[in-house]
Amino acid sequence: PTQQLFSAPRHATATFRLLYCSISCISALILFQSAEFWPRPVFGTHPHASTRHCWDLSGSFSALGFLDDDYDAKNGKLKYFFLAQAAYQLHSLCFHVVSMLLLLLYGGDAASADVSNGTGSWAGRLIGRFRGGKSNNDQQQKNPYQQQTQQQQTRSKRLISMKTSMQSYFRPMMEHGIVLALLIGAYLFSGLRRLGAVGIFTLELSSVFLQLLQVSIYAPENSWWRKPEVVLFVHRVLTVPTFVYCRLIVLPFILWRSALFESQEWLEQIAKVFSPVWAETLYTMFNGSLCLIFALNLVLFRRLLFHPHLKQIVKQKGH
């Protein structure tokens, strides 16, 4: 029961993210697949498709309309695409904040007896508060010493819950905050806006199969998705190859290379319009962000290969 208690919300979260990433990838292909800046390695269909078209010199800074010419008639579509991406990141950020607060208010020790009764999670406690119900322990008669002891244990559980929730939610909160800041910064410049759209599609195409793997791992025990052969197929045939292609090949050798070398003339224009310091800072920050994303992908790749749940599944199947 305890394992199911923690698997259910993870399964639901992975299902939501799977649907969102799938819709986002399909929308990106519909909107931008025929654009000149959409490269062929990510299913571009334009005969002259190349990332160098991201850096057209007629487009610059979107906050100043006269410096941002819509040279490929994609500015309007990019606006709504980035708006949807920013809304998702903001929603996820708020979700983690609210979840952390609920854990702080209603969480406890997951190993306590309440878990076996189905009330150990913050959701169960919250529902119990609204219903006005009390746990079995609260319904029993207690003397003052027992009540004081239980209050001390409750305070200790709250401290444990606070530490656990901070560890569980601080990293995702920081990730969503950083991505949201990058989205806002990339949208301000036409070149970064178009290359950013390609990057978003590349990462989310890989995320589709990552979330599919999560759905299969945390599916109900009797579900078809939970079968060892299904989980291993999703992992070995779909998730790992897509991860390698999108995040370890396309990201560094197409997107990062474009930002490093194909953006030089565009950066010279930025330096003339604003200042050389601003152009150099922009170049350093954007390429530094891509370097950080690539490094995080390497860490994630190692974790993907040695996933603890997959090890258990392999042992069960006897491979």
Side-chain angles (χ1 to χ4, degrees):
T2 302
Q3 183 65 29
Q4 294 178 358
L5 181 67
F6 289 101
S7 295
R10 293 177 180 177
H11 179 72
T13 301
T15 302
F16 169 76
R17 290 177 177 172
L18 173 62
L19 292 174
Y20 170 79
C21 292
S22 300
I23 294 173
S24 178
C25 288
I26 294 173
S27 300
L29 286 177
I30 294 173
L31 295 174
F32 310 120
Q33 189 177 24
S34 61
E36 282 188 314
F37 68 84
W38 201 263
R40 290 185 179 275
V42 288
F43 314 112
T45 58
H46 195 280
H48 305 293
S50 174
T51 52
R52 69 175 184 272
H53 295 294
C54 292
W55 312 103
D56 193 291
L57 298 182
S58 61
S60 182
F61 191 57
S62 66
L64 302 174
F66 63 91
L67 290 178
D68 190 29
D69 181 43
D70 191 8
Y71 55 86
D72 56 5
K74 298 296 182 182
N75 273 355
K77 296 176 181 179
L78 285 164
K79 174 182 178 181
Y80 290 107
F81 182 73
F82 269 79
L83 181 62
Q85 297 295 328
Y88 169 74
Q89 296 297 332
L90 183 60
H91 160 268
S92 299
L93 182 63
C94 294
F95 174 81
H96 282 90
V97 171
V98 172
S99 298
M100 186 178 68
L101 292 176
L102 289 173
L103 279 170
L104 292 175
L105 291 174
Y106 302 104
D109 186 4
S112 66
D114 288 340
V115 172
S116 62
N117 294 331
T119 59
S121 66
W122 60 263
R125 293 173 181 269
L126 182 59
I127 294 173
R129 291 287 183 92
F130 280 115
R131 291 180 176 177
K134 296 183 179 181
S135 64
N136 295 332
N137 292 333
D138 290 337
Q139 294 173 355
Q140 298 176 356
Q141 297 292 333
K142 302 183 183 67
N143 57 40
Y145 174 76
Q146 289 176 331
Q147 292 179 351
Q148 183 179 5
T149 302
Q150 187 178 18
Q151 290 176 357
Q152 293 176 352
Q153 292 176 349
T154 302
R155 295 191 188 98
S156 177
K157 292 176 182 179
R158 290 286 177 85
L159 293 176
I160 294 173
S161 178
M162 181 182 296
K163 181 179 179 180
T164 303
S165 62
M166 289 298 293
Q167 292 176 348
S168 301
Y169 287 94
F170 182 75
R171 183 181 60 83
M173 285 173 55
M174 289 296 295
E175 289 178 356
H176 289 299
I178 293 172
V179 172
L180 184 61
L182 287 174
L183 285 172
I184 295 173
Y187 180 76
L188 292 177
F189 297 90
S190 61
L192 302 184
R193 191 184 315 146
R194 285 157 174 78
L195 193 69
V198 180
I200 291 170
F201 171 81
T202 303
L203 295 176
E204 290 194 343
L205 180 61
S206 172
S207 295
V208 167
F209 297 100
L210 286 171
Q211 298 306 323
L212 182 62
L213 179 63
Q214 295 293 315
V215 168
S216 60
I217 288 176
Y218 296 112
E221 292 185 0
N222 297 327
S223 173
W224 179 82
W225 289 100
R226 191 68 178 270
K227 292 182 178 180
E229 55 270 18
V230 175
V231 177
L232 293 176
F233 176 83
V234 172
H235 176 258
R236 296 174 178 175
V237 179
L238 299 178
T239 307
V240 172
T242 308
F243 188 98
V244 171
Y245 178 74
C246 292
R247 298 177 181 243
L248 303 183
I249 296 178
V250 175
L251 179 65
F253 296 108
I254 296 178
L255 302 182
W256 196 3
R257 180 192 60 82
S258 177
L260 282 171
F261 304 111
E262 295 178 346
S263 62
Q264 295 302 317
E265 293 184 0
W266 182 83
L267 286 168
E268 291 177 3
Q269 183 190 39
I270 294 293
K272 293 177 181 178
V273 174
F274 298 100
S275 69
V277 175
W278 195 353
E280 184 178 352
T281 302
L282 182 64
Y283 180 82
T284 303
M285 290 182 61
F286 189 73
N287 284 283
S289 300
L290 289 176
C291 179
L292 178 61
I293 293 173
F294 181 71
L296 291 175
N297 284 330
L298 291 176
V299 176
L300 183 58
F301 182 60
R302 182 182 182 279
R303 183 179 178 183
L304 177 63
L305 293 178
F306 303 101
H307 199 293
H309 288 83
L310 291 171
K311 291 182 179 179
Q312 296 176 0
I313 293 172
V314 170
K315 289 181 180 179
Q316 292 176 1
K317 192 172 176 58
H319 284 186

